[in-house]
């Protein structure tokens, strides 16, 4: 587990090293690359370290030939790229130097360091002006989407505007700033937590002054933090563009980490376009979490099934009990043997053949016709059935007497034959009298 964790941290450091290398900050790139090798040695880190050292030597050689002016310019650009250079005073100088450095790296710079004029069309100007007319925090208006839109609509709008405002496609004045505004709007609205905070406060959820409590602090002062499945650092709109369109992080003409870095957030604050948090292995973790959730939900069912099985085990191995003999309280050709219970002396009748083949008869034979436990249990059931029937008959008889009495009295008792009422009251109910004789009714 520890080796796997070190490997993940090493890959994160390697990604940061590649990012600093792309920005021309070879010192930081070398430091993170060496840290990656310390955590977990990989062939990619060794190869990248060799490339960084080679490019650094070439950069030093070209800087010494260019003279003091261009050397100072290169130092300003490198200092701006570092996360600690977040001051507004250095940002404009750093951005111009970075743009010129990228132009030189791509072979687009004119002789003497002057940047070529980029072409643009009236449509390019129109989309730039529309975006820049919006306020910096009017994210829905910048992307031209409704507040209740779905995440797919936000991605579609960003894809369209990012392609229209990308520096390689749009050279209109202000296109770079519009491109940053679109990137910032997408990063806020594509993050459910930040979007909810923005909808509530109407301000930048990453800003210290937005009214939203945040444990991360201001994005301008954010530093890289490692562990927990992600890292924070600087990210430019160009890098966001590359990651959204599947470019990943370039490494020797290929890509590094294009797949895992699918979920991220970023902010554009006083210190520039900063504070990106990337969560790796999201798609791999979700199926595992869903699988665990299903097992947790099914656990009570498994426990219930196991408990039922344990209760049924004794019955599975026990012999099936023999049912009691059938009986009747009235004699008939079927029930042709009369018997009397030992407690209440209730007479009942059983079938001779059935009773003689029952285990109760065998018990009587062993006990010399003395009642045993099986017979006492059987006769107890007979007495219970007999008394329950008597109670039901008694209740019906009493109800019938009450109805006759009320019918005789009438509504107001006018013209009632009270002698007849008393006779009705004194009429005995046979079933009730039997219960009294058995001592079950007072």
């Amino acid at each position: 587990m520890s080796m796997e964790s070190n490997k993940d941290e090493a890959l994160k450091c390697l990604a940061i090293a590649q990012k600093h290398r792309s920005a021309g900050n070879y010192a930081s790139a070398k430091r993170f690359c060496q840290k990656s090798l310390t955590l977990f040695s990989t062939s990619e880190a060794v190869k990248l370290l060799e490339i960084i050292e080679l490019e650094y030597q070439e950069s030093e050689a070209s800087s010494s030939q260019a003279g003091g002016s261009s050397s100072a310019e290169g130092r300003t650009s490198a200092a701006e790229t570092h996360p600690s250079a977040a001051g507004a005073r250095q940002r404009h100088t750093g951005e111009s130097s970075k743009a010129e450095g990228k132009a030189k790296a791509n072979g687009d710079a004119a002789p003497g360091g002057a940047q070529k004029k980029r072409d643009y069309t009236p449509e390019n100007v129109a989309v730039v002006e529309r975006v820049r007319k919006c306020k910096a925090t009017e994210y829905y208006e910048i992307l031209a989407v409704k507040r209740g839109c779905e995440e797919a609509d936000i991605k579609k709008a960003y894809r369209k505007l990012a392609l229209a405002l990308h520096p390689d496609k749009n050279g209109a004045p202000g296109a770079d700033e519009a491109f940053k505004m679109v990137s910032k709007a997408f990063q806020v609205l594509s993050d459910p937590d930040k979007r909810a905070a923005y909808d509530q406060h109407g301000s930048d959820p990453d800003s210290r002054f937005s009214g939203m409590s945040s444990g991360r602090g201001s994005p301008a002062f954010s530093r890289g933090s490692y562990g927990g499945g992600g890292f924070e650092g600087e990210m430019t709109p160009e890098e966001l563009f590359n990651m959204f369109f599947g470019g990943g992080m370039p490494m020797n003409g290929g890509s590094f980490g294009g797949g895992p870095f699918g979920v991220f957030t970023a902010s554009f604050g006083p210190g520039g376009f900063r504070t990106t948090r990337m969560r790796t292995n999201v798609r791999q973790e979700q199926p595992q979490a869903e699988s665990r959730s299903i097992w947790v939900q099914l656990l009570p069912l498994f426990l219930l099934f196991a408990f039922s099985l344990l209760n049924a085990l004794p019955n599975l191995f026990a012999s099936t009990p023999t049912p009691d003999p059938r009986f009747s309280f009235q004699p008939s050709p079927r029930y042709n043997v009369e018997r009397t219970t030992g407690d209440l002396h209730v007479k009942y009748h059983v079938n001779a053949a059935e009773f003689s083949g029952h285990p109760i008869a065998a018990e009587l034979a062993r006990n010399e016709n003395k009642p045993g436990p099986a017979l006492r249990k059987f006769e107890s059931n007979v007495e219970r059935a007999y008394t329950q029937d008597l109670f039901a008959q008694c209740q019906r008889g009493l109800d019938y007497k009450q109805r006759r009495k009320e019918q005789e009295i009438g509504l107001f008792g006018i013209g009632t034959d009270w002698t007849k009422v008393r006779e009705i009251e004194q009429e005995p109910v046979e079933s009730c009298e039997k219960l009294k004789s058995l001592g079950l009714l007072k």
Side-chain angles (χ1 to χ4, degrees), residues 269-425:
F273 202 88
R274 301 176 180 274
T275 315
T276 298
R277 181 177 70 254
M278 298 181 180
R279 299 190 293 273
T280 62
N281 300 328
V282 173
R283 294 181 181 177
Q284 291 82 351
E285 291 176 1
Q286 285 180 348
Q288 297 178 2
E290 292 177 358
S291 177
R292 288 194 297 269
S293 176
I294 292 174
W295 282 110
V296 170
Q297 293 175 5
L298 294 177
L299 182 60
L301 295 178
F302 291 143
L303 293 177
L304 180 61
F305 176 75
F307 183 74
S308 302
L309 183 61
L310 289 175
N311 287 338
L313 282 177
N315 295 330
L316 292 177
F317 300 102
S319 59
T320 304
T322 305
D324 288 341
R326 286 170 290 185
F327 62 91
S328 173
F329 296 111
Q330 299 295 331
S332 68
R334 178 180 178 84
Y335 300 101
N336 50 15
V337 175
E338 181 180 302
R339 294 186 61 84
T340 304
T341 62
D343 189 9
L344 298 179
H345 305 288
V346 176
K347 292 182 178 181
Y348 66 98
H349 301 78
V350 295
N351 181 272
E354 181 182 1
F355 190 81
S356 61
H358 198 275
I360 293 178
E363 182 185 66
L364 286 172
R366 290 194 302 269
N367 297 336
E368 299 178 354
N369 289 328
K370 293 181 180 179
L375 180 62
R376 281 194 291 268
K377 181 180 178 182
F378 168 64
E379 291 186 344
S380 175
N381 294 334
V382 172
E383 292 175 347
R384 185 182 303 109
Y386 180 74
T387 54
Q388 287 177 352
D389 184 58
L390 285 180
F391 273 114
Q393 293 179 23
C394 178
Q395 186 62 46
R396 288 195 296 269
L398 293 175
D399 292 340
Y400 177 67
K401 283 177 62 176
Q402 184 65 25
R403 287 194 300 270
R404 288 174 57 199
K405 180 180 175 181
E406 291 175 353
Q407 185 178 4
E408 186 66 31
I409 294 174
L411 184 61
F412 299 105
I414 300 174
T416 302
D417 186 353
W418 294 103
T419 303
K420 189 174 183 180
V421 170
R422 284 191 291 272
E423 289 177 354
I424 294 174
E425 289 179 347

Side-chain angles (χ1 to χ4, degrees), residues 191-205 210 212:
D191 186 305
D193 296 335
K194 290 188 177 184
R195 182 178 180 180
Y198 171 71
D199 290 341
Q200 181 179 0
H201 301 284
S203 57
D204 183 0
S210 65
M212 173 185 174

Side-chain angles (χ1 to χ4, degrees), residues 121-265:
T121 63
E123 290 79 5
N124 296 145
V125 177
V127 68
V128 170
E129 289 180 350
R130 187 199 68 76
V131 172
R132 296 197 66 187
K133 282 181 182 178
C134 303
K135 293 183 180 180
T137 56
E138 292 179 345
Y139 301 135
Y140 290 105
E141 290 77 4
I142 291 173
L143 294 181
V145 295
K146 297 180 181 180
R147 284 187 171 267
C149 65
E150 300 292 335
E151 184 179 359
D153 299 327
I154 295 173
K155 291 182 179 180
K156 183 178 179 180
Y158 170 74
R159 180 186 297 273
K160 179 180 178 181
L161 289 173
L163 289 173
L165 294 171
H166 193 274
D168 292 343
K169 296 180 178 291
N170 194 331
D176 293 346
E177 186 65 26
F179 184 58
K180 293 177 183 178
M181 293 173 66
V182 168
S183 300
K184 173 61 180 178
F186 171 70
Q187 292 153 14
V188 172
L189 298 184
S190 62
D191 186 305
D193 296 335
K194 290 188 177 184
R195 182 178 180 180
Y198 171 71
D199 290 341
Q200 181 179 0
H201 301 284
S203 57
D204 183 0
D206 290 312
S207 173
R208 289 181 300 165
F209 311 104
S210 65
M212 173 185 174
S213 61
S214 174
R216 293 177 296 179
S218 171
F221 300 99
S222 176
R223 300 297 300 270
S225 62
Y226 306 93
F231 64 88
E232 293 190 1
E234 298 181 3
M235 175 171 282
T236 64
E238 184 70 26
E239 290 170 339
L240 173 62
F241 180 87
N242 290 336
M243 294 178 69
F244 182 85
F245 288 96
M249 293 187 179
M251 176 178 287
N252 300 333
S255 63
F256 179 81
F261 304 106
V263 181
F264 55 88
T265 58

